Amino acid sequence: MNAFDKLTLNNGVTLKNKLWVAPMTTYSGYDDGNVSEEELAYYKVRSGGASLVMTAVAYVSESGKGFHGQISAHDDAFIPSLKKMADTIKAEGAKAVLQIFHAGNLSPADLVPEVVGASRVTAAGEAIPRELTEMEVKQIVRDFYEATRRAIQAGFDGVEIHGANGYLLQQFFSSYTNTRTDQYGADRLGFILEVIEAVNKAKQKFARKSFIVGYRFSPEEPEEEGITFDQTLQLVDVLASQDLQYLHISQGHYNSKPRRYSGDAKTRVEAIQQKIAGRLPLVNVGGIFTREDLTEAEQSGADILAVGRALLIEPRWVEKIQNGEPVKTELDPENLQVLPTNLFAVIQSNPGWVPTKGVAE
């Protein structure tokens, strides 16, 4: 693939290139869930070169907040705030896609009325969740519908359903976090499919066909009872037949290899693409910092490449790469280039996550 070629999705939307801005938590929303001015400045400078921007994730239910400084889509009161974000991104020439989720057992107890999850299985360092009732699960499905409606009314071009990184959708799919004995235990894909259906119902009622719906998933879990790569391929096979515009793998490097896997594909992306078999485009992500990285990632087998950390270092990374200009590969604390204060604090507390000048990895 050539990252700067155009791409047309199955809903007729043509994108100016195959480079997207990866969804990255900014920790910079206001305490009440509204988008902050710092976030708007952050998106403005990073939305010019890529064809599509996936935002930091917004929570769809009051019980689904996952971290401090997170934006909300759980009430109509947030539509004006979300509109500011959509307008800011689109004004720079990119499609704006709102990522939406429920954090489940990863919700900090001090941020939600009650920590809930697929089952009474705790995440490391978090409170033991209460198992959601079937009626509550149905309500969260409805919450995804309403959050999608709000995204449409706010002017977003699409939503990405966040089913990765151990959050609630993944908790229902994993046999480690889903020990239920009801219908959602018997069919661990049931909740995921209901959410996709609900999001598409909101799209059909309130948006045009051009509205984009994507799904993000994690490839594996470390726990013995957790998701294996073989199980993820089963999930991907089902997802690739849904009414979606793309699938998005969440991983640390574009050439990551599968761990618990019975096949012979050399990389996760290679195996996933074999399973998708051309039904939907796949977004690959992770470890793209230089032109050389991009050239290698173009050969990874994916259809689209998402760039995250490089854009924290170099906000106009896409434009500079396209123009053949040099790009920085380390974040300079003396020149933060519209980096939200809270996000920089998180970067400082995680050495090596974003290469930083003067900090050994």
Side-chain angles (χ1 to χ4, degrees), residues 155-174:
F156 279 94
D157 299 298
V159 294
E160 177 173 277
I161 303 166
H162 193 356
N165 300 1
Y167 295 122
L168 189 63
L169 284 157
Q170 183 173 323
Q171 290 165 32
F172 270 82
F173 178 57
S174 171

Side-chain angles (χ1 to χ4, degrees), residues 159-274:
V159 294
E160 177 173 277
I161 303 166
H162 193 356
N165 300 1
Y167 295 122
L168 189 63
L169 284 157
Q170 183 173 323
Q171 290 165 32
F172 270 82
F173 178 57
S174 171
S175 58
Y176 173 67
T177 45
N178 184 348
T179 60
R180 302 174 71 97
T181 57
D182 63 2
Q183 61 171 319
Y184 293 108
D187 179 10
R188 289 186 282 110
L189 278 171
F191 178 49
I192 291 172
L193 296 179
E194 287 182 21
V195 167
I196 293 172
E197 181 182 15
V199 166
N200 274 310
K201 282 183 177 178
K203 170 182 174 176
Q204 291 159 13
K205 185 170 182 179
F206 300 105
R208 297 178 179 178
K209 181 184 176 183
S210 59
F211 190 76
I212 298 164
V213 179
Y215 191 96
R216 194 178 203 203
F217 64 93
S218 287
E220 300 175 70
E221 290 181 334
E223 295 84 6
E224 183 64 30
E225 305 90 345
I227 298 168
T228 67
F229 191 67
D230 286 295
Q231 290 172 331
T232 289
L233 291 179
Q234 295 170 15
L235 170 65
V236 165
D237 190 35
V238 173
L239 291 175
S241 296
Q242 303 307 304
D243 187 8
L244 297 167
Q245 277 62 68
Y246 69 88
L247 298 179
H248 179 192
I249 185 172
S250 179
Q251 59 178 358
H253 193 276
Y254 58 84
N255 268 341
S256 293
K257 296 174 173 56
R259 296 192 292 270
R260 292 185 291 166
Y261 172 50
S262 62
D264 57 6
K266 293 180 181 178
T267 67
R268 289 167 169 166
V269 167
E270 179 185 345
I272 289 167
Q273 286 290 59
Q274 289 173 4

Side-chain angles (χ1 to χ4, degrees), residues 17 64 91 112 198 313 342 358:
N17 59 46
V112 293
I313 298 168
N342 290 349

Side-chain angles (χ1 to χ4, degrees), residues 27-30 33-34 57-59 64-72 101:
Y27 306 96
S28 300
Y30 292 127
N34 280 294
V57 68
Y59 56 100
K65 189 171 184 177
F67 40 84
H68 289 276
Q70 185 179 12
I71 59 174
S72 177
F101 89 148

Side-chain angles (χ1 to χ4, degrees), residues 23-36:
M24 291 178 292
T25 302
T26 67
Y27 306 96
S28 300
Y30 292 127
D31 289 342
D32 63 2
N34 280 294
V35 177
S36 71

